[in-house]
Amino acid sequence: MDVKGMAAVVVGGASGLGAATARALAREGAKVSVLDFNIEAARAVAAEIGGFAVQCNVTSAESAELAIAAARDAHGPARVLINTAGIATAAKIVGKQGPMPLDDFRKGIEVNLVGSFNTMRLAAADMATLEPTMDGERGVIINTASIAGYEGQVGQASYAASKAGLIGLTIQAARELAPNGIRVCTIAPGLFETPMMAGLPENVRASLAVSVPFPSRLGRAEEYAKQAMNIVESVYLNGETIRVDAALRMAAR
């Protein structure tokens, strides 16, 4: 899909992978709506790229409905949806204090998996009303999983389960939305420079970087954005989860 003049929504677009992708879409001429819980940061990115900022709590049906509607009013129904909002919670199933609190597990599922589905269902409904392009395409949806969805580490029960859920949803959603000309793909990043990673001590970050086969460094948000743009532009890419991890396979710990 050529995004020039097209409406695009980036959820979690106020920072990290989402902000880089919002910038990439804007550079190619898309009309970008930046949705994020952090409205001030969303406004900063939107001002930078000439986009539109909307506050959105992805775990709330009402909040997501209002946010997608606001984006639609600003730019028209989106042909591109990028879901990057997520959290990483760490807790053992059974730790020193006993079993993991159920709400701690549920929170990761709600934000990462349910939140992505929440905006996907709304954007897909809008996409289905659009006229198809020359390729018969009406829209493309990209979710963000993680290699933890394949190789979850100790202490990642909620995170790994939520990301595995997105991986499993990919082919199902692609098949279901195919008659509408809507593609669905997922990116599963490895260790990337993100706000979550930035909070770690430098020696820990260096240790993680060394564990990556090649190139032995953390991924850059712009590299995620390049992969997202490749999916958007490549009509024959559909129903696929693409690992972007420099050949990293996570160890148990």
Side-chain angles (χ1 to χ4, degrees):
M1 179 188 295
D2 181 356
V3 300
K4 187 174 182 179
M6 302 292 189
V9 170
V10 182
V11 184
S15 63
L17 307 180
T21 307
R23 294 183 183 105
L25 285 162
R27 281 196 298 271
E28 295 302 317
K31 298 178 291 185
V32 183
S33 292
V34 180
L35 275 59
D36 205 283
F37 188 75
N38 185 339
I39 186 58
E40 293 305 321
R43 286 172 178 155
V45 173
E48 175 191 338
I49 65 174
F52 178 69
V54 190
Q55 187 171 42
C56 181
N57 175 1
V58 295
T59 67
S60 163
E62 181 181 11
S63 177
E65 288 162 9
L66 290 172
I68 293 294
R72 184 195 311 124
D73 290 344
H75 295 150
R79 287 191 184 268
V80 178
L81 171 70
I82 314 288
N83 275 318
T84 66
I87 60 172
T89 56
K92 289 185 177 181
I93 298 169
V94 180
K96 293 180 180 179
Q97 304 302 317
M100 179 181 182
L102 186 58
D103 283 347
D104 288 357
F105 181 84
R106 184 180 284 119
K107 184 176 181 181
I109 302 297
E110 282 287 330
V111 175
N112 298 341
L113 178 56
V114 177
S116 295
F117 179 80
N118 191 10
T119 54
M120 180 173 75
R121 69 186 179 93
L122 299 170
D126 275 355
M127 291 174 185
T129 69
L130 296 170
E131 287 297 316
T133 65
M134 290 180 62
D135 292 309
E137 185 177 24
R138 288 187 171 89
V140 56
I141 296 167
I142 301 174
N143 291 321
T144 305
S146 165
I147 60 172
Y150 297 103
E151 300 122 28
Q153 295 184 298
V154 170
Q156 286 187 331
S158 178
Y159 187 71
S162 66
K163 297 302 187 178
L166 287 173
I167 292 167
L169 181 63
T170 304
I171 186 62
Q172 186 281 327
R175 287 169 167 170
E176 188 168 319
L177 297 175
N180 296 313
I182 300 169
R183 295 186 291 122
V184 181
C185 284
T186 296
I187 299 174
L191 299 176
F192 268 68
E193 291 274 11
T194 63
M196 286 186 287
M197 191 68 72
L200 296 176
E202 183 58 37
N203 64 317
V204 174
R205 287 155 50 85
S207 175
L208 290 170
V210 169
S211 71
V212 181
F214 183 81
S216 294
R217 58 169 172 80
L218 301 179
R220 300 174 182 130
E222 293 75 18
E223 290 168 319
Y224 173 96
K226 285 180 181 178
Q227 185 59 71
M229 294 303 296
N230 180 55
I231 293 171
V232 170
E233 294 164 2
S234 302
V235 180
Y236 210 64
L237 267 177
N238 193 16
E240 192 63 61
T241 297
I242 301 172
R243 294 179 67 126
V244 182
D245 59 16
L248 177 64
R249 298 297 179 268
M250 301 289 279
R253 297 177 185 273

